[in-house]
């Protein structure tokens, strides 16, 4: 970089932090204050080493810290760049729409009921009906917890024990969302609007603690289900349960980049492997 780098400051010899941590802190501050904006190329390792009077290995450790925080990406032969998408919560819906701009759409979901995916699909599928989006194929896989068997969550709060009535309520929610996804996608194929549509739903006996979406094998959206205590009506009677807060929880975005060693690329690959491993081992067919 030929620009003036005075905003990156100097190392403080009286600071007990390691030089690599100090360098990471200065670069992080420059990114968060937008002195370095998304897409900007960082100074090269030799430039940073010369500026701070340290070895390149020290600079490399500083960059590794920022890469782990998903603030920067490295491109082989080109250097390090400020991420276009830093690690912050994102909305799923526009990314679903973007995925449908591709000729072959694949969506994998692992979660509790699929309500968020069902709602996010509505707009994209409406655009297909109107001819504004024209994918050739759509393949959806949904991996959800089986609420017909005892699970840790949701549960009766008073005893923290499994309760068939609580599970029956959760099962209705799960089936309603899963069946809606199946019907919405299948209808497009039945109408001849899509050359090929497939929807598969499988279940497993683990409690749902997070949600995971994989779009076209290249983007992942990941979020946690907070456990909340609330009172619901079950068979006409109020009951306090430990439930999963599913809607509107923050989703974090990871995407494949040109760098095979980037955090995003590795997270997407690990997510795909995890999903396929559960799908092909302990998951079993959903009988809608």
């Amino acid at each position: 970089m030929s620009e003036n780098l005075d905003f990156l400051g100097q190392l403080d010899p009286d600071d007990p932090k390691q030089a690599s941590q100090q360098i990471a802190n200065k670069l992080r501050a420059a990114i968060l204050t937008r002195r370095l904006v998304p897409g900007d190329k960082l100074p090269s390792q030799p430039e940073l080493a010369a500026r701070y009077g340290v070895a390149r290995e020290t600079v490399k450790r500083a960059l590794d810290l920022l890469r782990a925080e998903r603030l920067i990406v490295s491109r082989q032969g080109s250097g390090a760049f400020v991420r276009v998408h830093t690690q912050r919560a994102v909305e799923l819906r526009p990314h679903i729409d973007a995925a449908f701009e591709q000729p072959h759409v694949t969506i994998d979901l692992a979660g509790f009921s699929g309500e968020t995916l069902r709602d996010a699909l509505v707009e994209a599928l409406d655009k297909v009906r109107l001819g504004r989006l024209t994918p050739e194929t759509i393949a959806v896989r949904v991996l959800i917890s089986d609420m017909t068997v005892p699970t840790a969550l949701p549960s009766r709060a008073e005893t923290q024990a499994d309760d068939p009535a609580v599970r029956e309520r959760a099962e209705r929610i799960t089936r309603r969302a899963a069946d809606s996804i199946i019907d919405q996608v299948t209808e497009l194929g039945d109408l001849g609007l899509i050359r090929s549509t497939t929807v598969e739903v499988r279940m497993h006996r683990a409690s749902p603690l997070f949600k995971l979406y994989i779009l076209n094998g290249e983007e992942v959206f990941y979020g946690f289900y907070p456990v909340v205590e609330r009172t619901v009506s079950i068979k006409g009677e109020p009951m306090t349960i430990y439930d999963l807060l599913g809607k509107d929880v923050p989703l974090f975005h990871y995407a494949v980049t040109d760098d095979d060693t980037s955090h995003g690329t590795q997270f997407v690959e690990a997510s795909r492997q995890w999903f396929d491993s559960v799908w092909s081992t302990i998951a079993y067919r959903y009988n809608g």
Side-chain angles (χ1 to χ4, degrees):
M1 291 180 66
S2 58
E3 296 89 348
N4 188 302
L5 301 178
D6 287 346
F7 65 87
L8 290 179
Q10 299 291 338
L11 300 186
D12 181 356
D14 296 325
D15 193 325
K17 299 186 186 70
Q18 295 183 349
S20 59
Q21 183 65 64
Q22 288 192 56
I23 295 170
N25 290 347
K26 293 182 181 301
L27 290 170
R28 184 189 301 106
I31 293 170
L32 296 180
T33 59
R34 299 187 71 81
R35 300 299 298 271
L36 292 169
V37 300
D40 273 359
K41 183 178 180 179
L42 270 63
S44 67
Q45 290 187 25
E47 287 176 314
L48 290 171
R51 176 171 188 82
Y52 293 117
V54 298
R56 285 186 60 177
E57 186 61 32
T58 300
V59 172
K60 183 178 182 298
R61 287 198 296 271
L63 297 179
D64 286 343
L65 292 172
L66 299 178
R67 193 177 298 110
E69 295 173 25
R70 301 187 72 247
L71 289 173
I72 66 171
V73 294
S74 296
R75 299 171 188 162
Q76 190 169 5
S78 300
F81 296 79
V82 180
R83 283 184 61 89
V84 174
H85 299 291
T86 54
Q87 189 167 342
R88 59 180 182 272
V90 297
E91 184 184 354
L92 180 65
R93 191 183 306 270
H95 294 272
I96 292 283
D97 286 355
F100 271 74
E101 294 175 358
Q102 302 299 317
H104 304 289
V105 181
T106 63
I107 300 176
D108 292 337
L109 159 68
F112 172 43
S113 69
E115 285 183 296
T116 301
L117 177 60
R118 176 198 63 195
D119 296 343
L121 279 173
V122 169
E123 188 172 339
L125 297 181
D126 282 344
K127 290 178 180 178
V128 173
R129 293 184 185 94
L130 295 172
R132 293 166 58 189
L133 292 173
T134 57
E136 298 176 23
T137 66
I138 302 174
V140 179
R141 295 190 297 177
V142 177
L143 189 60
I144 53 179
S145 298
D146 187 350
M147 290 292 109
T148 67
V149 298
T151 57
L153 291 165
S155 63
R156 183 190 287 262
E158 181 182 1
T159 61
Q160 297 186 24
D162 171 71
D163 188 303
V166 175
R167 281 192 286 105
E168 286 175 13
R169 173 183 174 273
E171 184 188 6
R172 287 195 299 273
I173 295 171
T174 298
R175 287 189 174 274
R176 186 164 59 239
D179 290 344
S180 179
I181 292 171
I182 293 171
D183 293 341
Q184 288 183 67
V185 176
T186 302
E187 180 189 41
L188 296 182
D190 294 341
L191 294 174
L193 299 176
I194 301 293
R195 177 165 58 83
S196 171
T197 60
T198 60
V199 186
E200 293 184 81
V201 179
R202 293 187 184 181
M203 312 182 81
H204 57 81
R205 293 181 174 85
S207 292
L209 297 175
F210 62 87
K211 59 172 64 178
L212 173 74
Y213 303 87
I214 307 173
L215 306 186
N216 290 345
E218 296 182 344
E219 292 184 282
V220 162
F221 299 83
Y222 184 90
F224 296 99
Y225 287 126
V227 179
V228 296
E229 181 177 328
R230 63 194 185 107
T231 301
V232 298
S233 176
I234 295 181
K235 296 183 178 179
E237 297 293 331
M239 180 184 294
T240 303
I241 67 172
Y242 286 140
D243 203 4
L244 299 153
L245 179 61
K247 287 187 176 181
D248 302 321
V249 299
L251 291 176
F252 295 94
H253 181 218
Y254 302 83
V256 171
T257 69
D258 294 335
D259 182 2
D260 290 342
T261 65
S262 74
H263 188 77
T265 299
Q266 293 186 55
F267 194 92
V268 172
E269 179 58 28
S271 299
R272 290 168 55 185
Q273 291 180 2
W274 176 87
F275 188 98
D276 288 339
S277 70
V278 177
W279 184 267
S280 61
T281 56
I282 65 171
Y284 44 91
R285 183 178 177 181
Y286 165 76
N287 294 315

